[in-house]
Amino acid sequence: MGFAKLVDLMHHSYDRGIRFVELADLYGTHIYFREALREMKRDQLAILTKMWWRYDGPEDQVNLPERQQMAKTALERFHHELTTYPDIVLLHCLVKKGWDQQMGPYMDVLNDAKAKGQIKAVGCSCHNFEAMQTAATCPWVDVMLARINMKGGDKFMMDGTREQVEDVLRTARANGKAVIGMKIFGEGRLAEQRDACMQYAQGNGLLDAMTIGFHTPDQIDDVLRMMHKYPAKTLV
């Protein structure tokens, strides 16, 4: 899209009332949003980003103590790139059942940042059913980013059947987790059925928020019309 078009798209979303923004270190979106933020009121926003820990070394050595410094450096870089601390920081793309035992150095650093008031909430994005089950019961997790849509299954970018995922997210909500839905349109595979997808997402009572990727202002306006058409159901 180029720098100017992406920043303009972010401005359009803000002008239309969107106040929750999902970023990620892996996406390279921090510096784009920093520019857009110049025209926004920071205290109106909820900014989420995700920490891509895999670049720090072998995945079987994630629990080494030196990973703490890597996590601290990453968080300070986020602050520099955004000119503000994000509100929510997630561990990006967890795919193992025992991740809560593996990711201790990163979890400790994010806990410390939360205790200092630098960030408000911590959690994870999951791309595996067992990893999501772990997140639903892990006391450390404040926020879960979970793949959910009306179809379910691998074909539509989910970690289980719709019923299986719904059951895990009910457990998460019962344990006080905030739940953010992703892959609402099946990563584009359900774009032609997006009205029904939005009806499901708004009506399942499981999602505090959702993330949807956009390329054009018309796409933003279309999704907002659908959200207005299907008001969100009371959360379980």
Side-chain angles (χ1 to χ4, degrees):
M1 293 182 66
F3 197 92
K5 285 186 178 180
L6 182 53
V7 171
D8 285 348
L9 191 66
M10 292 173 173
H11 285 154
H12 181 81
S13 71
Y14 183 82
D15 291 342
R16 292 305 309 271
I18 294 174
R19 295 294 183 268
F20 168 59
V21 182
E22 181 213 18
L23 309 170
D25 193 21
L26 184 65
Y27 304 162
T29 43
H30 291 171
I31 60 171
Y32 295 87
F33 189 70
R34 176 178 66 194
E35 184 63 28
L37 186 59
R38 298 177 191 273
E39 306 296 327
M40 301 176 182
K41 294 182 179 179
R42 174 65 181 92
D43 61 358
Q44 293 182 355
L45 294 166
I47 301 172
L48 178 152
T49 195
K50 301 190 285 294
M51 187 174 288
W52 187 251
W53 48 275
R54 286 180 173 84
Y55 287 160
D56 294 344
E59 289 189 37
D60 61 354
Q61 299 178 23
V62 179
N63 59 0
L64 293 178
E66 51 263 38
R67 293 294 185 105
Q68 285 194 345
Q69 186 56 50
M70 295 175 180
K72 290 178 183 178
T73 299
L75 189 59
E76 287 307 312
R77 178 168 53 79
F78 296 174
H79 183 220
H80 174 72
E81 291 172 349
L82 291 167
T83 67
T84 183
Y85 280 107
D87 298 292
I88 306 166
V89 180
L90 306 184
L91 298 175
H92 197 165
C93 192
L94 298 178
V95 295
K96 293 182 179 180
K97 180 179 181 179
W99 65 260
D100 56 331
Q101 303 301 314
Q102 178 191 36
M103 303 296 296
Y106 293 85
M107 296 163 68
D108 289 345
V109 168
L110 293 179
N111 261 350
D112 185 58
K114 188 170 73 167
K116 292 176 179 177
Q118 294 171 336
I119 60 178
K120 296 178 181 178
V122 300
C124 59
S125 66
C126 298
H127 290 252
N128 169 275
F129 186 71
E130 290 185 334
M132 186 166 54
Q133 288 179 308
T134 298
T137 59
C138 176
W140 178 81
V141 172
D142 300 318
V143 179
M144 288 177 58
L145 181 57
R147 304 197 290 184
I148 182 169
N149 57 58
M150 68 176 188
K151 291 288 188 179
D154 290 343
K155 182 179 178 180
F156 298 104
M157 308 304 292
M158 277 176 59
D159 299 310
T161 66
R162 193 179 91 179
E163 293 73 20
Q164 287 173 324
V165 171
E166 287 175 345
D167 187 57
V168 173
L169 297 185
R170 287 191 191 96
T171 298
R173 297 204 62 82
N175 289 328
K177 317 301 183 189
V179 177
I180 301 170
M182 59 175 165
K183 315 302 183 187
I184 303 299
F185 301 152
E187 205 171 86
R189 292 163 174 79
L190 297 169
E192 298 304 314
Q193 302 176 60
R194 58 188 179 277
D195 190 276
C197 288
M198 184 57 68
Q199 185 176 15
Y200 167 72
Q202 289 282 81
N204 61 36
L206 296 170
L207 305 180
D208 294 280
M210 64 184 80
T211 69
I212 297 176
F214 303 113
H215 290 107
T216 69
D218 287 346
Q219 290 174 342
I220 293 174
D221 296 345
D222 181 52
V223 164
L224 291 175
R225 280 192 293 267
M226 287 188 288
M227 293 183 77
H228 182 72
K229 182 178 179 181
Y230 303 110
K233 180 182 176 181
T234 301
L235 294 170
V236 298

